[in-house]
């Protein structure tokens, strides 16, 4: 506990799932959390309530990503919240978690609109969020990007999503090299299929089929991925940068 005492963190897409679990986990270690949401403010407030119930501190920041003005809106709320709670705008930890998911589209049927939207949220937004955050991140800070196990296997119906997540991993590699002189660690976490509360995970047949992809023959839980993210945010991970940490429960073992 308190490994991140006095630190501040922004977790994009933290109103549910892995993002929410990450926000709660970072807060348990003492960090002040900016809980970002795109549309569901109530869900973001629920994340804040969970954090405060444990004695932590958090505030919400609303901004739809992948649309004009998204970065300005996000950082206007972020900097105001940081200033209110700490008196300054320092951001120690950035977790690029928010993503546009896909229900699956055959390569022949992918529209330009779907392609652009997916890349706008999954690749363009993290790039420009990180770019905007860099003046706020002190030397020794952390940037953690969330990818997907789909970057390691062929699933043609998820081609656009996996391409966008591949871009995130390149963001990690290049920024890890670029920011090393400042002591800023940049890493990727690769989740497998994780039960984020979506209705599809309540269908027994689908749940059983998905469970078989893990070496442990079960679905991952959000906090299991979040624990890996929290680890990378702590000083214990100070010698790790440019890495892709597999948190898929062995789903990529083959």
């Amino acid at each position: 506990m308190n490994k991140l005492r006095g630190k501040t963190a922004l977790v994009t897409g933290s109103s549910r799932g892995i993002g929410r679990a990450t926000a709660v986990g970072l807060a348990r270690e003492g960090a002040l959390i900016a809980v970002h949401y795109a549309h569901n403010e109530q869900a973001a407030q629920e994340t804040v309530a969970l954090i405060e119930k444990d004695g932590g501190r958090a505030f919400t920041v609303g901004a739809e990503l992948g649309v004009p003005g998204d970065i300005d809106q996000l950082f206007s709320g972020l900097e105001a919240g940081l200033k209110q709670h700490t008196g300054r705008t320092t951001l120690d930890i950035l977790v690029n978690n928010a993503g546009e998911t896909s229900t699956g589209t055959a390569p022949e049927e992918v529209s330009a609109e779907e392609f652009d939207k997916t890349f706008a949220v999954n690749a363009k937004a993290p790039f420009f969020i990180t770019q905007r955050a860099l003046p706020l991140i002190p030397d020794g800070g952390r940037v953690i990007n969330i990818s997907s196990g789909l970057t390691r296997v062929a699933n043609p119906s998820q081609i656009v999503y996996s391409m966008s997540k591949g871009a995130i991993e390149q963001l990690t590699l290049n920024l890890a090299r670029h920011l090393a002189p400042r002591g800023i660690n940049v890493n990727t976490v690769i989740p497998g299929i994780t039960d984020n509360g979506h209705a599809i995970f309540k269908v027994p047949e689908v749940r059983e089929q998905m469970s078989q992809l893990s070496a442990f023959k079960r679905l991952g839980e959000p906090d299991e991925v979040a624990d890996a993210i929290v680890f990378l945010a702590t000083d214990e991970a100070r010698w790790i940068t440019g890495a892709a940490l597999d948190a898929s429960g062995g789903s990529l073992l083959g």
Side-chain angles (χ1 to χ4, degrees):
M1 301 294 289
N2 293 321
K3 292 177 182 177
L4 299 173
R5 185 175 183 180
K7 303 293 187 181
T8 59
L10 166 63
V11 183
T12 64
S14 47
S15 61
R16 65 180 181 87
I18 292 171
R20 171 179 283 182
T22 299
V24 170
L26 292 170
R28 283 177 179 159
E29 292 294 347
L32 166 69
I33 311 299
V35 176
H36 163 259
Y37 67 94
H39 303 288
N40 196 337
E41 182 178 6
Q42 180 179 347
Q45 292 290 358
E46 291 171 1
T47 301
V48 171
L50 287 171
I51 290 171
E52 292 179 340
K53 182 180 178 181
D54 281 348
R57 298 186 302 152
F59 61 92
T60 62
V61 180
E64 180 181 358
L65 301 181
V67 299
D70 54 352
I71 308 302
D72 288 338
Q73 182 179 355
L74 174 63
F75 277 83
S76 176
L78 172 65
E79 292 182 28
L82 290 173
K83 190 80 171 178
Q84 177 183 349
H85 287 82
T86 68
R88 51 202 177 93
T89 58
T90 301
L91 180 67
D92 298 288
I93 302 159
L94 169 61
V95 181
N96 285 309
N97 167 76
E100 180 79 6
T101 58
S102 172
T103 56
T105 306
E108 296 88 346
E109 299 173 359
V110 173
S111 67
E113 291 77 15
E114 178 183 353
F115 187 98
D116 289 346
K117 177 65 173 177
T118 302
F119 267 79
V121 176
N122 293 358
K124 183 179 179 180
F127 178 90
F128 285 102
I129 288 171
T130 306
Q131 181 190 72
R132 185 72 165 264
L134 287 180
L136 308 181
I137 299 176
D139 292 357
R142 298 285 190 270
V143 178
I144 303 165
N145 299 316
I146 310 307
S147 183
S148 166
L150 286 171
T151 61
R152 301 297 191 272
V153 296
N155 187 333
S157 68
Q158 297 284 350
I159 185 171
V160 177
Y161 177 77
S162 59
M163 288 171 64
S164 69
K165 287 300 187 178
I168 275 285
E169 295 186 22
Q170 287 301 313
L171 177 65
T172 292
L173 286 176
N174 286 279
L175 284 183
R177 173 67 72 187
H178 182 64
L179 298 175
R182 292 182 53 194
I184 296 174
N185 299 54
V186 187
N187 291 292
T188 297
V189 171
I190 304 178
I193 297 177
T194 307
D195 186 350
N196 63 5
H198 192 280
I200 195 171
F201 291 108
K202 301 186 187 304
V203 180
E205 297 81 4
V206 174
R207 190 178 182 90
E208 175 60 25
Q209 183 180 19
M210 289 181 173
S211 295
Q212 296 308 306
L213 297 176
S214 163
F216 299 115
K217 304 304 179 186
R218 66 174 178 83
L219 298 177
E221 295 295 332
D223 63 323
E224 292 175 316
V225 180
D227 285 347
I229 299 169
V230 172
F231 162 70
L232 289 173
T234 69
D235 191 57
E236 293 173 347
R238 62 191 177 278
W239 200 234
I240 302 173
T241 196
L245 178 56
D246 182 340
S248 71
S251 297
L252 305 178
L253 293 175

